[in-house]
Amino acid sequence: MTPMDQTTTKQTHHFSQSICMHLGRPCPALSRMLTALAGALDKARPVTSAEFELCGESLLDGCARHCPARFIATHDRIRVFCDVTEATDTEALDLFADTLFQPDSRAFAAAKLHQPPCAMGEALPKPLPQQITAQTIHPAL
């Protein structure tokens, strides 16, 4: 992805990422995957419905451990979970991610997961200009 593409996705999405348990810092491969998914969804927005979903599994490009990553991407939210098995329940992963990324969510212990992700990330779309309401625009006095 070119620097221009990364700048564009940072203008369209808010990114959050956990610390990788193997690296002890955010995973650059996870960051690249979130950025690529955000760019793809942004480009697909004009030709897809609000219910559009892209999900699957992939090996993280550039990860020295060759971690598999599960992703669920919609126009409302993108999440990537690293180093989880196919048998790991997606709903449980989402509850776990909610605990980390959503300040008003209910608690969910990692112990409830057979194998918690070694890292995870989320991208949320920023409001589109037409979604900004008149309440957010303050007229000059």
Side-chain angles (χ1 to χ4, degrees):
M1 181 162 279
T2 66
M4 178 66 155
D5 292 338
Q6 291 175 356
T7 301
T8 301
T9 57
K10 294 204 186 295
Q11 292 173 356
T12 61
H13 287 78
H14 293 283
F15 293 89
S16 301
Q17 190 173 335
S18 72
I19 301 296
C20 174
M21 290 191 291
H22 303 297
L23 295 175
R25 59 183 168 84
C27 175
L30 172 57
S31 296
R32 286 190 300 275
M33 185 171 199
L34 277 171
T35 301
L37 286 167
L41 277 173
D42 193 53
K43 287 178 183 174
R45 185 177 304 277
V47 294
T48 56
S49 70
E51 295 80 27
F52 178 74
E53 179 178 275
L54 179 65
C55 57
E57 297 191 16
S58 177
L59 291 177
L60 287 175
D61 183 32
C63 174
R65 294 180 47 84
H66 304 291
C67 284
R70 182 184 305 175
F71 59 91
I72 303 99
T74 67
H75 290 301
D76 295 327
R77 179 180 72 197
I78 301 166
R79 283 195 173 154
V80 177
F81 302 97
C82 301
D83 203 18
V84 294
T85 65
E86 288 182 28
T88 306
D89 180 48
T90 302
E91 186 176 331
L93 286 170
D94 270 332
L95 288 172
F96 183 57
D98 287 346
T99 301
L100 179 66
F101 297 128
Q102 306 298 323
D104 58 348
S105 69
R106 60 187 170 107
F108 182 85
K112 292 183 180 179
L113 288 170
H114 174 67
Q115 178 186 356
C118 69
M120 57 187 164
E122 176 179 85
L124 298 174
K126 292 181 179 179
L128 298 172
Q130 62 266 30
Q131 292 174 327
I132 298 174
T133 65
Q135 295 173 350
T136 61
I137 300 172
H138 302 287
L141 298 175

mmCIF file of all heavy atoms in Angstrom, residues 70-104:
data_model
loop_
_atom_site.group_PDB
_atom_site.id
_atom_site.type_symbol
_atom_site.label_atom_id
_atom_site.label_comp_id
_atom_site.label_asym_id
_atom_site.label_seq_id
_atom_site.Cartn_x
_atom_site.Cartn_y
_atom_site.Cartn_z
ATOM 1 N N ARG A 70 -8.036 -13.903 11.347
ATOM 2 C CA ARG A 70 -9.443 -13.963 10.954
ATOM 3 C C ARG A 70 -9.950 -12.532 10.886
ATOM 4 O O ARG A 70 -9.706 -11.750 11.795
ATOM 5 C CB ARG A 70 -10.266 -14.752 11.972
ATOM 6 C CG ARG A 70 -11.727 -14.862 11.538
ATOM 7 C CD ARG A 70 -12.586 -15.543 12.558
ATOM 8 N NE ARG A 70 -12.063 -16.850 12.919
ATOM 9 C CZ ARG A 70 -12.598 -17.609 13.874
ATOM 10 N NH1 ARG A 70 -13.640 -17.186 14.556
ATOM 11 N NH2 ARG A 70 -12.077 -18.775 14.165
ATOM 12 N N PHE A 71 -10.648 -12.208 9.810
ATOM 13 C CA PHE A 71 -11.168 -10.843 9.678
ATOM 14 C C PHE A 71 -12.652 -10.864 9.355
ATOM 15 O O PHE A 71 -13.145 -11.771 8.691
ATOM 16 C CB PHE A 71 -10.401 -10.041 8.617
ATOM 17 C CG PHE A 71 -10.430 -10.651 7.237
ATOM 18 C CD1 PHE A 71 -11.420 -10.299 6.328
ATOM 19 C CD2 PHE A 71 -9.464 -11.554 6.852
ATOM 20 C CE1 PHE A 71 -11.448 -10.857 5.063
ATOM 21 C CE2 PHE A 71 -9.470 -12.114 5.586
ATOM 22 C CZ PHE A 71 -10.466 -11.764 4.685
ATOM 23 N N ILE A 72 -13.335 -9.874 9.884
ATOM 24 C CA ILE A 72 -14.742 -9.631 9.618
ATOM 25 C C ILE A 72 -14.848 -8.145 9.314
ATOM 26 O O ILE A 72 -14.574 -7.309 10.182
ATOM 27 C CB ILE A 72 -15.651 -9.999 10.807
ATOM 28 C CG1 ILE A 72 -15.460 -11.469 11.222
ATOM 29 C CG2 ILE A 72 -17.118 -9.731 10.483
ATOM 30 C CD1 ILE A 72 -14.572 -11.634 12.392
ATOM 31 N N ALA A 73 -15.209 -7.812 8.079
ATOM 32 C CA ALA A 73 -15.220 -6.420 7.653
ATOM 33 C C ALA A 73 -16.588 -6.053 7.090
ATOM 34 O O ALA A 73 -17.079 -6.699 6.164
ATOM 35 C CB ALA A 73 -14.130 -6.193 6.599
ATOM 36 N N THR A 74 -17.176 -5.025 7.672
ATOM 37 C CA THR A 74 -18.426 -4.453 7.176
ATOM 38 C C THR A 74 -18.224 -2.951 7.047
ATOM 39 O O THR A 74 -17.195 -2.421 7.467
ATOM 40 C CB THR A 74 -19.608 -4.728 8.138
ATOM 41 O OG1 THR A 74 -19.394 -4.005 9.349
ATOM 42 C CG2 THR A 74 -19.751 -6.234 8.432
ATOM 43 N N HIS A 75 -19.231 -2.278 6.506
ATOM 44 C CA HIS A 75 -19.126 -0.823 6.405
ATOM 45 C C HIS A 75 -19.184 -0.167 7.785
ATOM 46 O O HIS A 75 -18.741 0.965 7.951
ATOM 47 C CB HIS A 75 -20.222 -0.261 5.502
ATOM 48 C CG HIS A 75 -20.023 -0.612 4.058
ATOM 49 N ND1 HIS A 75 -18.898 -0.261 3.351
ATOM 50 C CD2 HIS A 75 -20.806 -1.299 3.195
ATOM 51 C CE1 HIS A 75 -18.999 -0.699 2.113
ATOM 52 N NE2 HIS A 75 -20.143 -1.338 1.988
ATOM 53 N N ASP A 76 -19.701 -0.875 8.780
ATOM 54 C CA ASP A 76 -19.805 -0.332 10.136
ATOM 55 C C ASP A 76 -18.583 -0.591 11.006
ATOM 56 O O ASP A 76 -18.305 0.144 11.943
ATOM 57 C CB ASP A 76 -21.029 -0.904 10.864
ATOM 58 C CG ASP A 76 -22.324 -0.470 10.223
ATOM 59 O OD1 ASP A 76 -22.380 0.657 9.695
ATOM 60 O OD2 ASP A 76 -23.283 -1.262 10.238
ATOM 61 N N ARG A 77 -17.858 -1.687 10.723
ATOM 62 C CA ARG A 77 -16.732 -2.043 11.588
ATOM 63 C C ARG A 77 -15.879 -3.112 10.906
ATOM 64 O O ARG A 77 -16.390 -4.012 10.256
ATOM 65 C CB ARG A 77 -17.255 -2.589 12.919
ATOM 66 C CG ARG A 77 -16.169 -3.012 13.866
ATOM 67 C CD ARG A 77 -16.732 -3.533 15.166
ATOM 68 N NE ARG A 77 -17.336 -4.842 14.959
ATOM 69 C CZ ARG A 77 -18.190 -5.402 15.810
ATOM 70 N NH1 ARG A 77 -18.542 -4.778 16.898
ATOM 71 N NH2 ARG A 77 -18.698 -6.590 15.565
ATOM 72 N N ILE A 78 -14.576 -2.999 11.117
ATOM 73 C CA ILE A 78 -13.626 -4.013 10.650
ATOM 74 C C ILE A 78 -12.900 -4.527 11.880
ATOM 75 O O ILE A 78 -12.424 -3.745 12.697
ATOM 76 C CB ILE A 78 -12.596 -3.414 9.670
ATOM 77 C CG1 ILE A 78 -13.292 -2.796 8.461
ATOM 78 C CG2 ILE A 78 -11.575 -4.461 9.249
ATOM 79 C CD1 ILE A 78 -12.399 -1.897 7.627
ATOM 80 N N ARG A 79 -12.826 -5.843 12.009
ATOM 81 C CA ARG A 79 -12.045 -6.434 13.090
ATOM 82 C C ARG A 79 -11.158 -7.541 12.538
ATOM 83 O O ARG A 79 -11.567 -8.301 11.665
ATOM 84 C CB ARG A 79 -12.947 -7.004 14.188
ATOM 85 C CG ARG A 79 -13.503 -5.912 15.079
ATOM 86 C CD ARG A 79 -14.071 -6.458 16.336
ATOM 87 N NE ARG A 79 -14.434 -5.367 17.243
ATOM 88 C CZ ARG A 79 -15.361 -5.468 18.172
ATOM 89 N NH1 ARG A 79 -16.019 -6.607 18.344
ATOM 90 N NH2 ARG A 79 -15.627 -4.448 18.961
ATOM 91 N N VAL A 80 -9.951 -7.607 13.105
ATOM 92 C CA VAL A 80 -8.998 -8.656 12.739
ATOM 93 C C VAL A 80 -8.511 -9.294 14.036
ATOM 94 O O VAL A 80 -8.121 -8.593 14.979
ATOM 95 C CB VAL A 80 -7.796 -8.092 11.948
ATOM 96 C CG1 VAL A 80 -6.786 -9.191 11.644
ATOM 97 C CG2 VAL A 80 -8.266 -7.412 10.665
ATOM 98 N N PHE A 81 -8.542 -10.626 14.078
ATOM 99 C CA PHE A 81 -8.100 -11.396 15.243
ATOM 100 C C PHE A 81 -6.930 -12.276 14.804
ATOM 101 O O PHE A 81 -7.048 -13.043 13.849
ATOM 102 C CB PHE A 81 -9.233 -12.283 15.768
ATOM 103 C CG PHE A 81 -10.460 -11.511 16.150
ATOM 104 C CD1 PHE A 81 -11.523 -11.377 15.265
ATOM 105 C CD2 PHE A 81 -10.551 -10.911 17.394
ATOM 106 C CE1 PHE A 81 -12.657 -10.664 15.615
ATOM 107 C CE2 PHE A 81 -11.684 -10.197 17.752
ATOM 108 C CZ PHE A 81 -12.736 -10.074 16.864
ATOM 109 N N CYS A 82 -5.813 -12.173 15.501
ATOM 110 C CA CYS A 82 -4.593 -12.874 15.105
ATOM 111 C C CYS A 82 -4.367 -14.140 15.927
ATOM 112 O O CYS A 82 -4.598 -14.150 17.139
ATOM 113 C CB CYS A 82 -3.384 -11.951 15.280
ATOM 114 S SG CYS A 82 -3.521 -10.460 14.312
ATOM 115 N N ASP A 83 -3.900 -15.157 15.230
ATOM 116 C CA ASP A 83 -3.478 -16.415 15.844
ATOM 117 C C ASP A 83 -4.610 -17.104 16.600
ATOM 118 O O ASP A 83 -4.448 -17.526 17.742
ATOM 119 C CB ASP A 83 -2.271 -16.180 16.763
ATOM 120 C CG ASP A 83 -1.446 -17.449 16.970
ATOM 121 O OD1 ASP A 83 -1.600 -18.394 16.168
ATOM 122 O OD2 ASP A 83 -0.659 -17.488 17.926
ATOM 123 N N VAL A 84 -5.774 -17.214 15.945
ATOM 124 C CA VAL A 84 -6.887 -17.969 16.515
ATOM 125 C C VAL A 84 -7.187 -19.155 15.599
ATOM 126 O O VAL A 84 -6.924 -19.103 14.401
ATOM 127 C CB VAL A 84 -8.162 -17.101 16.703
ATOM 128 C CG1 VAL A 84 -7.931 -16.023 17.737
ATOM 129 C CG2 VAL A 84 -8.625 -16.494 15.398
ATOM 130 N N THR A 85 -7.737 -20.201 16.171
ATOM 131 C CA THR A 85 -8.059 -21.386 15.379
ATOM 132 C C THR A 85 -9.412 -21.203 14.699
ATOM 133 O O THR A 85 -10.217 -20.343 15.084
ATOM 134 C CB THR A 85 -8.111 -22.651 16.263
ATOM 135 O OG1 THR A 85 -9.203 -22.521 17.180
ATOM 136 C CG2 THR A 85 -6.805 -22.852 17.015
ATOM 137 N N GLU A 86 -9.682 -22.020 13.700
ATOM 138 C CA GLU A 86 -10.975 -21.991 13.009
ATOM 139 C C GLU A 86 -12.118 -22.301 13.967
ATOM 140 O O GLU A 86 -13.228 -21.826 13.779
ATOM 141 C CB GLU A 86 -10.982 -22.988 11.853
ATOM 142 C CG GLU A 86 -10.138 -22.561 10.677
ATOM 143 C CD GLU A 86 -10.217 -23.549 9.528
ATOM 144 O OE1 GLU A 86 -11.253 -24.231 9.382
ATOM 145 O OE2 GLU A 86 -9.249 -23.621 8.765
ATOM 146 N N ALA A 87 -11.834 -23.073 15.009
ATOM 147 C CA ALA A 87 -12.873 -23.475 15.952
ATOM 148 C C ALA A 87 -13.232 -22.364 16.947
ATOM 149 O O ALA A 87 -14.257 -22.456 17.622
ATOM 150 C CB ALA A 87 -12.422 -24.719 16.716
ATOM 151 N N THR A 88 -12.431 -21.327 17.034
ATOM 152 C CA THR A 88 -12.710 -20.250 17.990
ATOM 153 C C THR A 88 -13.980 -19.524 17.574
ATOM 154 O O THR A 88 -14.131 -19.110 16.429
ATOM 155 C CB THR A 88 -11.534 -19.253 18.062
ATOM 156 O OG1 THR A 88 -10.334 -19.974 18.349
ATOM 157 C CG2 THR A 88 -11.759 -18.216 19.153
ATOM 158 N N ASP A 89 -14.897 -19.398 18.509
ATOM 159 C CA ASP A 89 -16.202 -18.803 18.263
ATOM 160 C C ASP A 89 -16.084 -17.312 17.966
ATOM 161 O O ASP A 89 -15.530 -16.551 18.774
ATOM 162 C CB ASP A 89 -17.089 -19.040 19.497
ATOM 163 C CG ASP A 89 -18.469 -18.452 19.342
ATOM 164 O OD1 ASP A 89 -19.098 -18.668 18.289
ATOM 165 O OD2 ASP A 89 -18.922 -17.774 20.280
ATOM 166 N N THR A 90 -16.599 -16.885 16.825
ATOM 167 C CA THR A 90 -16.519 -15.476 16.417
ATOM 168 C C THR A 90 -17.278 -14.575 17.379
ATOM 169 O O THR A 90 -16.833 -13.468 17.684
ATOM 170 C CB THR A 90 -17.042 -15.301 14.975
ATOM 171 O OG1 THR A 90 -16.269 -16.122 14.110
ATOM 172 C CG2 THR A 90 -16.938 -13.855 14.523
ATOM 173 N N GLU A 91 -18.423 -15.031 17.872
ATOM 174 C CA GLU A 91 -19.194 -14.218 18.820
ATOM 175 C C GLU A 91 -18.403 -13.975 20.099
ATOM 176 O O GLU A 91 -18.385 -12.862 20.632
ATOM 177 C CB GLU A 91 -20.529 -14.894 19.147
ATOM 178 C CG GLU A 91 -21.427 -14.037 20.015
ATOM 179 C CD GLU A 91 -22.784 -14.673 20.252
ATOM 180 O OE1 GLU A 91 -23.260 -15.439 19.404
ATOM 181 O OE2 GLU A 91 -23.363 -14.390 21.322
ATOM 182 N N ALA A 92 -17.706 -15.001 20.586
ATOM 183 C CA ALA A 92 -16.873 -14.840 21.783
ATOM 184 C C ALA A 92 -15.708 -13.879 21.503
ATOM 185 O O ALA A 92 -15.366 -13.056 22.355
ATOM 186 C CB ALA A 92 -16.347 -16.193 22.254
ATOM 187 N N LEU A 93 -15.123 -13.968 20.322
ATOM 188 C CA LEU A 93 -14.047 -13.040 19.955
ATOM 189 C C LEU A 93 -14.564 -11.608 19.930
ATOM 190 O O LEU A 93 -13.893 -10.691 20.416
ATOM 191 C CB LEU A 93 -13.463 -13.403 18.582
ATOM 192 C CG LEU A 93 -12.579 -14.642 18.524
ATOM 193 C CD1 LEU A 93 -12.283 -15.005 17.066
ATOM 194 C CD2 LEU A 93 -11.294 -14.425 19.301
ATOM 195 N N ASP A 94 -15.760 -11.410 19.386
ATOM 196 C CA ASP A 94 -16.337 -10.057 19.344
ATOM 197 C C ASP A 94 -16.620 -9.527 20.747
ATOM 198 O O ASP A 94 -16.373 -8.355 21.025
ATOM 199 C CB ASP A 94 -17.611 -10.037 18.502
ATOM 200 C CG ASP A 94 -17.334 -9.742 17.044
ATOM 201 O OD1 ASP A 94 -16.333 -9.066 16.745
ATOM 202 O OD2 ASP A 94 -18.133 -10.183 16.202
ATOM 203 N N LEU A 95 -17.122 -10.374 21.641
ATOM 204 C CA LEU A 95 -17.364 -9.936 23.025
ATOM 205 C C LEU A 95 -16.049 -9.541 23.699
ATOM 206 O O LEU A 95 -15.977 -8.551 24.430
ATOM 207 C CB LEU A 95 -18.070 -11.029 23.822
ATOM 208 C CG LEU A 95 -19.532 -11.277 23.464
ATOM 209 C CD1 LEU A 95 -20.055 -12.519 24.179
ATOM 210 C CD2 LEU A 95 -20.383 -10.066 23.799
ATOM 211 N N PHE A 96 -15.014 -10.318 23.455
ATOM 212 C CA PHE A 96 -13.695 -10.021 24.003
ATOM 213 C C PHE A 96 -13.174 -8.690 23.443
ATOM 214 O O PHE A 96 -12.675 -7.834 24.176
ATOM 215 C CB PHE A 96 -12.737 -11.172 23.690
ATOM 216 C CG PHE A 96 -11.360 -11.010 24.259
ATOM 217 C CD1 PHE A 96 -11.163 -10.830 25.621
ATOM 218 C CD2 PHE A 96 -10.248 -11.055 23.435
ATOM 219 C CE1 PHE A 96 -9.875 -10.692 26.150
ATOM 220 C CE2 PHE A 96 -8.966 -10.920 23.955
ATOM 221 C CZ PHE A 96 -8.789 -10.731 25.307
ATOM 222 N N ALA A 97 -13.317 -8.488 22.127
ATOM 223 C CA ALA A 97 -12.879 -7.243 21.496
ATOM 224 C C ALA A 97 -13.702 -6.053 22.001
ATOM 225 O O ALA A 97 -13.152 -4.974 22.220
ATOM 226 C CB ALA A 97 -12.978 -7.360 19.979
ATOM 227 N N ASP A 98 -15.003 -6.260 22.197
ATOM 228 C CA ASP A 98 -15.844 -5.193 22.743
ATOM 229 C C ASP A 98 -15.299 -4.710 24.081
ATOM 230 O O ASP A 98 -15.272 -3.509 24.359
ATOM 231 C CB ASP A 98 -17.289 -5.661 22.939
ATOM 232 C CG ASP A 98 -18.057 -5.815 21.635
ATOM 233 O OD1 ASP A 98 -17.587 -5.316 20.594
ATOM 234 O OD2 ASP A 98 -19.134 -6.449 21.678
ATOM 235 N N THR A 99 -14.857 -5.652 24.909
ATOM 236 C CA THR A 99 -14.313 -5.308 26.230
ATOM 237 C C THR A 99 -13.107 -4.384 26.096
ATOM 238 O O THR A 99 -12.941 -3.452 26.876
ATOM 239 C CB THR A 99 -13.924 -6.584 27.001
ATOM 240 O OG1 THR A 99 -15.086 -7.400 27.141
ATOM 241 C CG2 THR A 99 -13.363 -6.276 28.358
ATOM 242 N N LEU A 100 -12.291 -4.621 25.097
ATOM 243 C CA LEU A 100 -11.096 -3.798 24.891
ATOM 244 C C LEU A 100 -11.396 -2.488 24.170
ATOM 245 O O LEU A 100 -10.909 -1.432 24.568
ATOM 246 C CB LEU A 100 -10.055 -4.587 24.101
ATOM 247 C CG LEU A 100 -8.750 -3.854 23.791
ATOM 248 C CD1 LEU A 100 -7.981 -3.574 25.072
ATOM 249 C CD2 LEU A 100 -7.902 -4.660 22.840
ATOM 250 N N PHE A 101 -12.202 -2.549 23.113
ATOM 251 C CA PHE A 101 -12.365 -1.397 22.228
ATOM 252 C C PHE A 101 -13.572 -0.511 22.536
ATOM 253 O O PHE A 101 -13.609 0.632 22.114
ATOM 254 C CB PHE A 101 -12.455 -1.854 20.769
ATOM 255 C CG PHE A 101 -11.212 -2.532 20.262
ATOM 256 C CD1 PHE A 101 -11.272 -3.775 19.654
ATOM 257 C CD2 PHE A 101 -9.968 -1.930 20.378
ATOM 258 C CE1 PHE A 101 -10.130 -4.399 19.169
ATOM 259 C CE2 PHE A 101 -8.821 -2.540 19.903
ATOM 260 C CZ PHE A 101 -8.906 -3.788 19.300
ATOM 261 N N GLN A 102 -14.579 -1.038 23.232
ATOM 262 C CA GLN A 102 -15.799 -0.274 23.508
ATOM 263 C C GLN A 102 -15.863 0.072 24.992
ATOM 264 O O GLN A 102 -16.061 -0.820 25.818
ATOM 265 C CB GLN A 102 -17.047 -1.076 23.112
ATOM 266 C CG GLN A 102 -17.041 -1.577 21.682
ATOM 267 C CD GLN A 102 -17.016 -0.465 20.665
ATOM 268 O OE1 GLN A 102 -17.630 0.577 20.856
ATOM 269 N NE2 GLN A 102 -16.282 -0.663 19.589
ATOM 270 N N PRO A 103 -15.721 1.330 25.367
ATOM 271 C CA PRO A 103 -15.653 1.699 26.785
ATOM 272 C C PRO A 103 -16.912 1.365 27.591
ATOM 273 O O PRO A 103 -16.829 1.139 28.781
ATOM 274 C CB PRO A 103 -15.413 3.209 26.774
ATOM 275 C CG PRO A 103 -15.650 3.659 25.395
ATOM 276 C CD PRO A 103 -15.604 2.477 24.487
ATOM 277 N N ASP A 104 -18.069 1.272 26.951
ATOM 278 C CA ASP A 104 -19.305 1.006 27.692
ATOM 279 C C ASP A 104 -19.758 -0.451 27.606
ATOM 280 O O ASP A 104 -20.886 -0.777 27.966
ATOM 281 C CB ASP A 104 -20.421 1.933 27.202
ATOM 282 C CG ASP A 104 -20.688 1.777 25.712
ATOM 283 O OD1 ASP A 104 -19.886 1.135 25.013
ATOM 284 O OD2 ASP A 104 -21.713 2.318 25.239
#
